[in-house]
Amino acid sequence: MADEREPEGPDVGDDIAGAMEAFLLGEEPSLTRVQVAERAGVPLELAVQLWHQLGFPHRSDDDVAFAESDVEALRLTSDLVRLGILPPESQAALVRTWGRSYARLAEWQTTLLAGVATEGGDPATALTELASDVLPRVEALQTYVWRRHLASAAQHLLEDHSSLSSAETRLAVCFVDIVGYTTRSRSLDGAELVEWVDRFEHDTTAQVVDHGGQVIKTIGDEVLFTVADPAAAVEIALTLAARGDDADDPFPAVRAGIAHGAVVRRLGDVFGSTVNAASRLTSAARPGTVLVDAGVHEALTADDPDGEPGWRWRRLRRVSAKGFDHLQAWRVRAAKS
């Protein structure tokens, strides 16, 4: 007996995805990667390499998956290489960083839009309408935030003249770690866990920024930040630790480690022995405490053996730290505690 089922029509999801792609790229894809490379005047091998580094999916030479916006982007990238902004030794790392950062941002934004779209009747139609109405505003806001951060970064760079000629500079580096994260996370559902971690990251970032510091990255239950002034780093860490000790404050209990010394900056991240020392001190710190290394202690007690007013110091006998023969450490706390 013949199969009398109705032939399947076009996939509505594919239609919506195609419309979204055309909207975001400015037109429906009409070019292959070979044509894009030819129009941009860039070797195909270099174009493919850049797309891979950006995290874009693989395409064959015959796939019609590109638009004129891809041509312009490839031209601009070639210009940056020619101008020396993307030198061969750092090109791959920089492009990968761009790709990872925007991939995470795009995933979050798409999830946010999809969540709003599902509240209506037809999610596919609602998502398309939201994209056309919301994304231009988001794009303009992203440009504003980027330019603001450029201005801030330029100011920090000019204030630290040593960074103009070298990737290495002196900074206070601090890790702030949630105490009991694994245990607490098991008692929370997904939404509650996200809210809890978001509050921790938000409040920590606010403290860091208010003291002239910079959040380098968040690593699950931990925040890494830097600040030029080690006194500011101590003030931030002590404030957060005090909040974590307050039973009436929803901020989680934390511990922190701070080191001060030479740091290598690269693509928005920091590396070096100073960073490692701060991480080891954090692991050694007890809940609600702040440990600092000799660099911080010396910087804050050089003129006064008792250090900054309002702080008390206690040297620890020994800190076991992988990779360090002898890591000197002091516990610092507010004088009133």
Side-chain angles (χ1 to χ4, degrees), residues 89-300:
E89 65 272 13
S90 61
Q91 173 183 306
L94 180 57
V95 174
R96 280 198 306 269
T97 301
W98 271 344
R100 284 196 299 264
S101 299
Y102 278 105
R104 292 179 62 188
L105 185 61
E107 181 179 356
W108 173 78
Q109 291 170 339
T110 304
T111 302
L112 181 64
L113 287 177
V116 175
T118 55
E119 297 175 0
D122 181 2
T125 302
L127 183 60
T128 305
E129 293 175 351
L130 277 171
S132 61
D133 189 41
V134 173
L135 290 185
R137 292 175 168 83
V138 172
E139 185 175 14
L141 183 58
Q142 285 178 177
T143 299
Y144 161 76
V145 173
W146 171 62
R147 286 181 175 273
R148 266 293 182 182
H149 278 296
L150 277 179
S152 178
Q155 182 178 358
H156 286 311
L157 188 66
L158 293 173
E159 288 173 351
D160 182 6
H161 299 293
S162 63
S163 343
L164 294 173
S165 57
S166 172
E168 188 174 273
T169 187
R170 292 185 65 81
L171 291 172
V173 179
C174 179
F175 285 88
V176 180
D177 179 49
I178 295 178
V179 175
Y181 172 82
T182 302
T183 301
R184 179 66 186 276
S185 64
R186 290 173 181 167
S187 65
L188 302 174
D189 62 29
E192 291 171 336
L193 179 59
V194 169
E195 181 182 358
W196 186 54
V197 174
D198 278 350
R199 183 187 300 118
F200 164 66
E201 293 182 359
H202 173 274
D203 291 0
T204 300
T205 299
Q207 277 291 324
V208 171
V209 172
D210 285 346
H211 286 79
Q214 178 184 10
V215 172
I216 301 300
K217 56 187 173 184
T218 57
I219 315 164
D221 58 340
E222 191 172 55
V223 170
L224 165 61
F225 73 84
T226 62
V227 61
D229 182 7
V234 170
E235 186 65 35
I236 295 167
L238 288 176
T239 299
L240 296 175
R243 288 193 57 185
D245 284 340
D246 184 351
D248 296 325
D249 192 327
F251 190 80
V254 298
R255 57 183 179 175
I258 311 171
H260 181 248
V263 171
V264 176
R265 292 198 241 198
R266 180 175 180 270
L267 300 176
D269 208 341
V270 289
F271 303 89
S273 179
T274 302
V275 181
N276 296 336
S279 177
R280 301 294 184 267
L281 289 170
T282 306
S283 299
R286 293 181 178 179
T289 67
V290 178
L291 299 186
V292 305
D293 75 339
V296 175
H297 184 261
E298 290 171 5
L300 300 184

Side-chain angles (χ1 to χ4, degrees), residues 28-93:
E28 291 187 8
S30 61
L31 303 173
T32 67
R33 68 181 191 178
V34 175
Q35 293 170 322
V36 171
E38 289 176 348
R39 294 194 184 196
V42 174
L44 178 60
E45 181 180 357
L46 175 60
V48 172
Q49 181 184 35
L50 290 170
W51 289 325
H52 282 170
Q53 291 166 354
L54 285 168
F56 297 159
H58 172 75
R59 301 291 184 181
S60 71
D61 288 350
D62 297 325
D63 286 342
V64 179
F66 299 88
E68 286 295 335
S69 57
D70 294 294
V71 177
E72 180 62 16
L74 202 53
R75 286 189 185 128
L76 293 173
T77 305
S78 179
D79 289 343
L80 292 177
V81 173
R82 177 176 52 82
L83 293 170
I85 303 300
L86 290 176
E89 65 272 13
S90 61
Q91 173 183 306

